[in-house]
Amino acid sequence: HTDLTEWIGAPVTVSITKEIAHDVLAAPINSLLALLGGGYALEILSSDSTKLIPVEIGIYSDGWVEVSGSGLDTNSRVVIAK
Protein backbone atom coordinates (compact mmCIF):
# COMPACT_ATOMS: atom_id res chain seq x y z
CA HIS A 1 0.00 0.00 0.00
CA THR A 2 1.47 3.34 -1.06
CA ASP A 3 0.22 6.67 0.21
CA LEU A 4 0.11 9.29 -2.49
CA THR A 5 0.16 12.98 -1.74
CA GLU A 6 -3.16 14.60 -2.53
CA TRP A 7 -2.85 17.48 -4.98
CA ILE A 8 -5.17 20.36 -4.34
CA GLY A 9 -5.11 23.46 -6.50
CA ALA A 10 -2.31 22.23 -8.78
CA PRO A 11 -1.95 24.43 -11.88
CA VAL A 12 -3.06 22.73 -15.09
CA THR A 13 -2.60 23.88 -18.67
CA VAL A 14 -5.13 22.68 -21.24
CA SER A 15 -4.83 23.26 -24.97
CA ILE A 16 -7.87 22.91 -27.20
CA THR A 17 -7.71 23.15 -30.95
CA LYS A 18 -10.98 23.76 -32.73
CA GLU A 19 -11.20 23.52 -36.47
CA ILE A 20 -14.17 23.15 -38.79
CA ALA A 21 -14.04 21.66 -42.28
CA HIS A 22 -16.66 22.50 -44.90
CA ASP A 23 -17.43 20.67 -48.17
CA VAL A 24 -14.86 17.90 -47.72
CA LEU A 25 -14.89 14.17 -48.33
CA ALA A 26 -14.78 12.16 -45.11
CA ALA A 27 -14.27 8.46 -44.47
CA PRO A 28 -14.46 6.32 -41.33
CA ILE A 29 -11.07 6.31 -39.60
CA ASN A 30 -11.04 2.50 -39.56
CA SER A 31 -11.13 2.50 -43.38
CA LEU A 32 -7.62 4.01 -43.57
CA LEU A 33 -4.86 1.61 -44.57
CA ALA A 34 -1.24 2.41 -43.63
CA LEU A 35 1.07 2.14 -46.63
CA LEU A 36 4.44 0.42 -46.30
CA GLY A 37 6.31 3.46 -47.64
CA GLY A 38 4.36 5.86 -45.40
CA GLY A 39 1.06 7.61 -45.82
CA TYR A 40 -2.42 6.19 -46.12
CA ALA A 41 -4.80 4.72 -48.70
CA LEU A 42 -8.43 3.75 -48.96
CA GLU A 43 -9.62 0.50 -50.52
CA ILE A 44 -12.32 1.54 -52.99
CA LEU A 45 -14.90 -0.85 -54.46
CA SER A 46 -15.26 -0.81 -58.23
CA SER A 47 -17.71 -2.85 -60.32
CA ASP A 48 -15.84 -6.17 -60.06
CA SER A 49 -12.81 -5.58 -57.82
CA THR A 50 -11.19 -3.19 -55.37
CA LYS A 51 -8.30 -0.76 -55.76
CA LEU A 52 -6.11 1.18 -53.35
CA ILE A 53 -6.29 4.96 -53.66
CA PRO A 54 -3.53 6.92 -51.86
CA VAL A 55 -5.07 9.72 -49.79
CA GLU A 56 -4.02 12.80 -47.91
CA ILE A 57 -5.71 13.11 -44.54
CA GLY A 58 -6.95 16.24 -42.83
CA ILE A 59 -8.79 16.85 -39.60
CA TYR A 60 -10.61 14.06 -37.79
CA SER A 61 -13.37 13.80 -35.22
CA ASP A 62 -16.01 11.36 -33.99
CA GLY A 63 -14.57 8.42 -35.94
CA TRP A 64 -14.34 10.27 -39.29
CA VAL A 65 -11.34 11.70 -41.12
CA GLU A 66 -11.12 14.24 -43.93
CA VAL A 67 -9.60 12.62 -47.05
CA SER A 68 -8.54 13.81 -50.49
CA GLY A 69 -6.96 12.00 -53.40
CA SER A 70 -7.10 11.51 -57.11
CA GLY A 71 -9.94 9.14 -58.00
CA LEU A 72 -12.14 9.89 -54.98
CA ASP A 73 -15.58 11.45 -55.21
CA THR A 74 -18.85 11.48 -53.29
CA ASN A 75 -19.89 8.19 -54.91
CA SER A 76 -16.75 6.27 -53.89
CA ARG A 77 -17.58 3.11 -51.92
CA VAL A 78 -14.98 2.48 -49.20
CA VAL A 79 -14.06 -0.91 -47.71
CA ILE A 80 -14.03 -0.76 -43.90
CA ALA A 81 -11.69 -3.03 -41.90
CA LYS A 82 -13.41 -5.05 -39.17
Side-chain angles (χ1 to χ4, degrees):
H1 175 306
T2 303
D3 288 329
L4 301 174
T5 305
E6 184 176 329
W7 288 53
I8 298 175
V12 175
T13 302
V14 177
S15 297
I16 298 173
T17 303
K18 184 176 180 180
E19 197 170 337
I20 297 174
H22 296 280
D23 297 322
V24 299
L25 291 175
I29 289 176
N30 61 343
S31 66
L32 288 175
L33 300 172
L35 297 174
L36 189 58
Y40 296 96
L42 292 174
E43 186 175 5
I44 303 297
L45 292 171
S46 61
S47 58
D48 59 352
S49 64
T50 63
K51 59 183 174 180
L52 291 181
I53 302 287
V55 295
E56 295 291 321
I57 61 172
I59 63 174
Y60 57 91
S61 180
D62 296 327
W64 291 86
V65 61
E66 176 186 355
V67 293
S68 61
S70 179
L72 289 178
D73 62 35
T74 58
N75 295 319
S76 296
R77 294 178 22 203
V78 178
V79 176
I80 298 174
K82 291 192 178 206

